[in-house]
Amino acid sequence: QVRLVESGGGLVQPGGSLRLSCAVNVRTFNTFAMGWLRQAPGKEREFVAAISMYGATKTSEAVTGRFTISRNNADNTVYLQMNSLKPEDTAVYYCAGGRTANWADPERYDFWGQGTQVTVSS
């Protein structure tokens, strides 16, 4: 079945950058909407970013201007470039995707990865 594997998380100082990757093992990746969500300790999961099969993007107000979502259909990978990181960005980041018309609503995507930890601390 479809599997999504996140990577690139780690510990970074405030103001630093990280690039998350999500590899998807499906032949029809180019038809998938993809997105990133995160869950911080003690908080509910929240939307971070999404990208349509055509490359349209949307980011949450909390990360707009700092995070960029992109995709490379040649290697079935979606990325999240995170710049100017803040301690409040600390969370487990989840990759999700699916063949859906509702590309801007990752909570309704069909497939989810296991997550990767991002910790922003000095």
Side-chain angles (χ1 to χ4, degrees):
Q1 295 186 7
V2 176
R3 287 185 287 273
L4 288 69
V5 182
E6 302 98 333
S7 62
L11 175 65
V12 64
Q13 293 185 345
S17 298
L18 284 175
R19 189 194 195 202
L20 305 184
S21 299
C22 176
V24 185
N25 73 329
V26 62
R27 193 173 304 169
T28 56
F29 174 78
N30 62 347
T31 71
F32 275 39
M34 299 296 301
W36 292 92
L37 305 97
R38 68 187 183 185
Q39 187 165 22
K43 296 185 177 181
E44 295 185 350
R45 188 171 58 218
E46 65 173 314
F47 167 80
V48 175
I51 185 166
S52 77
M53 62 181 289
Y54 303 109
T57 62
K58 184 179 180 64
T59 52
S60 70
E61 292 186 357
V63 307
T64 294
R66 300 187 298 119
F67 291 11
T68 303
I69 187 171
S70 62
R71 65 192 296 158
N72 186 338
N73 290 344
D75 61 4
N76 285 18
T77 304
V78 64
Y79 303 96
L80 185 68
Q81 179 66 47
M82 305 185 296
N83 298 325
S84 302
L85 283 161
K86 306 174 181 179
E88 50 263 47
D89 294 319
T90 296
V92 176
Y93 284 71
Y94 296 93
C95 178
R99 196 172 185 272
T100 176
N102 299 319
W103 65 269
D105 187 13
E107 288 284 357
R108 300 187 182 275
Y109 289 0
D110 295 325
F111 309 106
W112 292 71
Q114 293 297 308
T116 185
Q117 177 70 48
V118 172
T119 302
V120 184
S121 177
S122 60

